């Protein structure tokens, strides 16, 4: 190895000594046709690198589309060539897996939460009207929150949406408080909704403030 170019910046040749003692120099890896390879248990392994554009890595849509294509090619290759197996690894793969899992959790948690809220509200109020108004308020809140986040930051991260699903069980409490108080007071004093809302407004406002502070 010609190390003359190192002398100017490294007169004691410490870098050369460091590189020569790195573990990979004593490993079973070797280069073949510009690919890093290894042999283990009578099998050959080739390490190939796939580089995705930066803007696609941080775009959920593009990442899922690209990795889906790679996985489709992986499946075809593994099926067509029985002696060959393609194994995928790396940060984009983990990000892809997390994204797919996140979408699945959003759908499952959202459906289970909505179904559970529907059952509880119907069980307590014997009517689907409270659920309709509760679901409407949650939907409006989601749309406004999504639009505001997208307007400020230019995009909405998948983790933000996943985290937002945990707010469904919190946000419906405000509507439930109103319906409980409304039915309780209506059976006694026949008060209308505006009076009931005025009565519970300080309490739910304090609850809202503490919840926001807690999540922040």
């Amino acid at each position: 190895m010609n190390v003359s170019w190192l002398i100017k910046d490294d007169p004691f040749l410490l870098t050369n000594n460091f590189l020569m003692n790195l573990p990979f120099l004593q490993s079973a890896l070797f280069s073949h046709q510009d690919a890093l390879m290894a042999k283990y248990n009578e099998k050959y392994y080739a390490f190939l690198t796939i580089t995705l554009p930066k803007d696609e890595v941080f775009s959920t849509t593009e990442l899922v589309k690209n990795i889906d294509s790679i996985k489709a090619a992986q499946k075809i290759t593994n099926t067509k060539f029985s002696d060959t197996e393609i194994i995928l690894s790396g940060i984009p793969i983990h990000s892809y897996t997390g994204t797919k899992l996140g979408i699945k959790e959003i759908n499952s948690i959202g459906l289970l939460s909505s179904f559970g809220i529907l059952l509880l509200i119907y069980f307590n109020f014997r009517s689907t009207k409270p659920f309709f108004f509760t679901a409407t308020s949650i939907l409006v809140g989601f749309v406004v929150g999504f639009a505001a986040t997208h307007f400020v930051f230019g995009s909405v991260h998948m983790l933000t949406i996943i985290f937002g699903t945990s707010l469904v069980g919190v946000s419906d409490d405000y509507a439930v408080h109103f319906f409980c108080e409304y039915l309780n007071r209506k059976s006694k004093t026949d008060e209308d909704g505006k009076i009931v809302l005025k009565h519970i407004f300080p309490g739910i406002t304090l609850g809202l403030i503490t919840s926001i502070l807690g999540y922040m």
Side-chain angles (χ1 to χ4, degrees):
M1 179 184 293
N2 184 5
V3 296
S4 59
W5 60 275
L6 287 173
I7 294 179
K8 181 180 179 181
D9 297 321
D10 185 15
F12 296 103
L13 301 179
L14 298 178
T15 303
N16 181 62
N17 184 58
F18 169 74
L19 293 174
M20 293 298 295
N21 286 278
L22 286 177
F24 71 82
L25 293 176
Q26 288 81 37
S27 70
L29 299 175
F30 60 92
S31 177
H32 178 70
Q33 295 183 356
D34 296 329
L36 194 61
M37 301 190 66
K39 183 180 180 181
Y40 181 74
N41 287 342
E42 301 302 322
K43 290 183 178 181
Y44 287 94
Y45 296 86
F47 298 88
L48 303 178
T49 302
I50 297 177
T51 303
L52 297 176
K54 183 178 179 181
D55 55 341
E56 294 184 6
V57 172
F58 292 99
S59 171
T60 302
T61 304
E62 292 297 325
L63 177 64
V64 171
K65 182 174 67 174
N66 287 330
I67 301 300
D68 278 341
S69 299
I70 295 174
K71 280 187 167 291
Q74 175 195 27
K75 184 177 180 180
I76 294 173
T77 303
N78 291 342
T79 302
K80 188 175 181 180
F81 304 97
S82 58
D83 294 335
T84 302
E85 181 183 7
I86 296 180
I87 302 173
L88 300 177
S89 183
I91 294 177
I93 303 299
H94 296 306
S95 178
Y96 165 85
T97 304
T99 300
K100 298 285 282 189
L101 181 61
I103 294 174
K104 182 179 179 180
E105 289 180 350
I106 289 174
N107 293 332
S108 59
I109 294 176
L111 289 175
L112 289 175
S113 298
S114 301
F115 184 70
I117 292 172
L118 175 60
L119 289 179
L120 289 174
I121 290 179
Y122 184 79
F123 178 78
N124 283 278
F125 301 110
R126 294 297 190 272
S127 174
T128 57
K129 288 184 179 180
F131 174 79
F132 172 77
F133 291 114
T134 302
T136 301
S137 64
I138 293 175
L139 179 61
V140 171
F142 171 79
V143 172
V144 172
F146 186 93
T149 303
H150 194 280
F151 176 78
V152 174
F153 298 101
S155 62
V156 181
H157 198 278
M158 179 60 63
L159 288 179
T160 304
I161 301 178
I162 296 174
F163 183 78
T165 58
S166 65
L167 297 175
V168 174
V170 177
S171 57
D172 75 293
D173 290 343
Y174 301 102
V176 171
H177 285 315
F178 170 79
F179 290 122
C180 289
E181 189 70 18
Y182 175 77
L183 293 178
N184 182 47
R185 286 177 170 269
K186 187 176 182 180
S187 61
K188 298 177 181 178
T189 60
D190 198 30
E191 294 181 351
D192 61 15
K194 293 183 179 179
I195 298 177
V196 174
L197 183 60
K198 184 178 180 180
H199 176 74
I200 67 172
F201 190 77
I204 61 176
T205 302
L206 181 61
L208 175 64
I209 293 174
T210 55
S211 296
I212 292 175
L213 292 176
Y215 277 99
M216 287 176 61

